[in-house]
Amino acid sequence: MLTVTPLHFLILAFVLFGIGFLGLLIRRNILLMLMSLELMLNGINVALVTFSRVGNNLDGGIFVFFIMTVAASEVAVGLALLVALYKKRKSVFTDDMALLKN
Amino acid sequence: MSTVDILFWIFATLSVGGGLSMVLSRHPVSAAMFMIISLVGVAALFVLLESFFLAVLQVLVYAGAVMVLFLFIIMLLDVGPGASKINFSNWKTGLIGFGASCLLIFLLSALLSPGEDTLSFGQSWTVINNSTAPAPVDALVFSTDISAFGYALMTKYMLPVQISGFLLLAAMIGVIILSKRSGTPSSNS
């Protein structure tokens, strides 16, 4: 019978990253794009923890810790920017943000 | 099939399914709820990988703080379900990106197939035994207890800890200035 190997965890990490990338490309709502970015970071975290567990080395776990810190501050700044943008443009969609296009 | 296998498949399905429904859902609030499901599934996978501290941190930071912030902003801006359309012109780009990542998965599984003797990814789990593990001299050995994290953060990663603290301070000041300036746009000019 099939048992779970580290490869399963790595494939899951890649799938999570791919789903986040897909969401980043096909959604137009900036809130959902930020959430897809979080999903991509989660895929990276799964891969790092797997490597840390398999390689018997704590450095990967520590890096997950720092990635969580950076992700939290990124979300805080991104959402503040989004609220500021919403007050100016009254929209959260990327179609309405084409200020520099023409 | 052992218990770990069953748990892995349950939580892998939960995280991937939650992520997919987040990407494809109409209403932003339900997208945030699916995202919480996905994050909790990833936390359970961290438990399966025996890093319990990171699992607790995942639930506290992501599912607790970050998603509450997301939900707060969604409800503050009152983003309705009808307006959240999927950009169909970008479907091709998205599918190309997803296909590229699938190709990467196949490449990875071809490279790391069983028989590779460097890291033996195709093999099953080995039991953690810190006493006999032939780790390099000054490497940090994987451990399940939190004190190993604290020791690593305070010795080898002292500078990154201080830098991330500074990053959090900068983010806090930036958010305050952003919300202050956008709050009074007309009174200044």
Side-chain angles (χ1 to χ4, degrees):
Chain A
M1 208 63 192
L2 191 70
T3 57
V4 171
T5 61
L7 192 60
H8 286 87
F9 280 92
L10 287 183
I11 290 174
L12 179 82
F14 270 109
V15 168
L16 279 180
F17 190 87
I19 289 171
F21 191 53
L22 185 78
L24 196 65
L25 286 177
I26 68 172
R27 295 312 294 249
R28 284 188 296 181
N29 196 337
I30 293 182
L31 277 161
L32 279 153
M33 288 170 79
L34 275 173
M35 269 193 243
S36 305
L37 220 67
E38 294 298 308
L39 201 65
M40 287 167 81
L41 284 171
N42 261 286
I44 299 294
N45 281 352
V46 171
L48 273 175
V49 172
T50 309
F51 282 129
S52 165
R53 171 74 174 79
V54 172
N56 199 14
N57 198 329
L58 197 62
D59 290 333
I62 303 280
F63 262 93
V64 171
F65 189 81
F66 288 124
I67 288 176
M68 278 181 187
T69 311
V70 173
S73 54
E74 169 232 320
V75 163
V77 175
L79 286 178
L81 276 173
L82 182 62
V83 170
L85 208 60
Y86 184 79
K87 279 179 181 168
K88 234 179 171 52
R89 305 243 140 209
K90 300 287 172 218
S91 168
V92 288
F93 299 104
T94 51
D95 299 340
D96 305 322
M97 309 277 174
L99 185 66
L100 293 177
K101 202 168 184 178
N102 294 316
Chain B
M1 249 188 176
S2 65
T3 322
V4 175
D5 292 353
I6 298 169
L7 285 177
F8 172 79
W9 289 113
I10 288 173
F11 290 120
T13 318
L14 212 63
S15 55
V16 171
L20 264 182
S21 354
M22 186 275 284
V23 166
L24 299 176
S25 67
R26 291 199 155 271
H27 203 289
V29 175
S30 56
M33 291 300 169
F34 283 128
M35 186 73 192
I36 290 174
I37 291 175
S38 174
L39 293 175
V40 171
V42 169
L45 289 172
F46 284 175
V47 171
L48 286 184
L49 286 166
E50 297 183 12
S51 45
F52 308 112
F53 178 57
L54 288 176
V56 171
L57 220 61
Q58 171 94 5
V59 173
L60 278 181
V61 174
Y62 272 120
V66 170
M67 294 318 289
V68 167
L69 194 63
F70 265 114
L71 278 172
F72 179 72
I73 296 296
I74 288 170
M75 290 174 182
L76 180 74
L77 300 186
D78 199 17
V79 187
S84 63
K85 293 157 290 195
I86 289 173
N87 194 354
F88 282 101
S89 66
N90 265 354
W91 261 107
K92 262 181 200 163
T93 328
L95 283 181
I96 285 171
F98 198 65
S101 52
C102 283
L103 197 72
L104 216 59
I105 293 167
F106 279 125
L107 218 71
L108 190 82
S109 48
L111 277 176
L112 304 174
S113 56
E116 200 78 16
D117 56 6
T118 50
L119 270 176
S120 66
F121 275 107
Q123 307 294 316
S124 190
W125 296 104
T126 54
V127 180
I128 285 186
N129 191 353
N130 282 348
S131 58
T132 60
V137 185
D138 54 350
L140 299 161
V141 178
F142 183 86
S143 172
T144 55
D145 59 345
I146 306 173
S147 62
F149 268 92
Y151 179 75
L153 283 177
M154 286 299 127
T155 53
K156 190 180 176 183
Y157 289 95
M158 194 66 225
L159 185 64
V161 166
Q162 294 188 4
I163 290 174
S164 59
F166 192 74
L167 175 76
L168 285 176
L169 178 71
M172 194 171 70
I173 293 173
V175 166
I176 289 170
I177 287 177
L178 271 174
S179 46
K180 266 203 157 180
R181 201 174 273 168
S182 65
T184 55
S186 53
S187 62
N188 287 334
S189 57

